[in-house]
Amino acid sequence: MTERENYLKVLNGEKPEWVPYYRDACDWVIPWITTSYLATEEKVDFLGVHWVMDDAGPMADTRRLALDDISKWRDVVHLPDVESFDWEKYAAFDLREHDPDKAIAIMPGLGGGCFFIPLMNMMGFSEGLCAMFEEEEEVKALFDHFMEWYEKLLPKCIEYYHPDVVIMGDDICTANGPFIGRDVYESLIRPYFRKCISICKNAGVKFELHMCGKCESFIDDFVEMGIDIWEPAQPLNDLAAIKKKYGNRLVLNGAWFTAGPGGVPGAPEHIVRREARECIDRYAPGGGYVFWDGDPVGTSEDMKRKIGWLADEARTYGKAFYKEKNV
């Protein structure tokens, strides 16, 4: 059984042969149409946002905001033409290093998010949040424009990349709770994700929600809308209660506590490995779980060692887990 086949068993609600390790089971593919600006000298995206490169990868340059008045978004937003894009050529390019033994997860978004984060990148969090509260109609108009683009983009991505999973998301929460209230979520977030989820599910493709932070108050709603996988499923949330409620209906991808004893700088090997095993013990019984360290960023030797220990523990302890534990 390949890593992909074992991973898909989890996504289909079945008990896998072993606990999938996300890095081994799935290839992330970001379509060129969404990131071509990074190859330019200016690195200005389709929303007027400037980007810089550092150890964590591309980051929006908050020193040079694209917009200070939400009513002027039409002056700076210029999304690429989906219909004129050479999909066959660039899909082949993007998939050139894909391992066929891994699943394909395509990530079609706008600068690290889909709706909320692109707005924050354009205006900064203070002005962006104020716009959501004070200029709802203009924000809706912007998000409607994004959605019209996704309605063209997603079918093309599915047709040419043949993904097993589509990953979309927005970090609408902090470590303590949401940036926005339920009323703003209902008006400016939910309708758009519901449409994206429906497009993917109607095409027979699994939908993975990326949402960091303490977002458990929204997860019930997202599950009802049809998400299959939630990542990085951080332990800031009551993951045990969520697992108990949904079982294998919702795959928890992650659950590694980056701020826990095994995630702090300088954590010794035995602590990192112990925390990985306890994570698997807690969430893997019965299936519905994929181990992932949350893709920690950085190139320090400490981080490299930590990722190595986590990978080894996932591949050894996780491989034998179901046979030895019989759970």
Side-chain angles (χ1 to χ4, degrees), residues 10 21 27 66 82 94 107 116 175 195 198-200 229 241 268 272:
V10 179
Y21 176 43
D27 272 341
V82 170
D94 290 335
M107 303 173 67
F116 179 82
K195 289 180 181 179
S198 294
I199 292 169
C200 297
I229 313 109
V272 174

Side-chain angles (χ1 to χ4, degrees), residues 249-260:
R249 182 180 169 192
L250 174 65
V251 175
L252 299 179
N253 181 351
W256 167 255
F257 192 19
T258 55

Side-chain angles (χ1 to χ4, degrees), residues 47 79 110 114-115 118 142-150:
L47 312 180
L79 298 175
L110 288 167
C114 294
F115 302 98
L142 174 63
F143 287 1
D144 284 343
H145 185 63
F146 289 170
M147 190 65 238
E148 290 172 4
W149 189 66
Y150 288 129

Side-chain angles (χ1 to χ4, degrees), residues 16 18 38 52-53 58 137 150 165-166 173 196 199 204 223 232 244 250 303 309:
W18 62 86
L38 291 174
V52 294
M53 305 296 291
E137 291 308 311
Y150 288 129
V165 179
V166 169
C173 298
C196 293
I199 292 169
V223 174
K244 182 178 180 180
L250 174 65
M303 185 62 70
W309 298 331

Side-chain angles (χ1 to χ4, degrees), residues 197 201 207-209 219 222-230 249-251:
I197 293 168
K201 299 305 288 286
F207 191 94
E208 182 165 335
L209 175 71
I219 292 301
F222 274 111
V223 174
E224 293 307 313
M225 284 193 279
I227 71 162
D228 301 287
I229 313 109
W230 168 36
R249 182 180 169 192
L250 174 65
V251 175

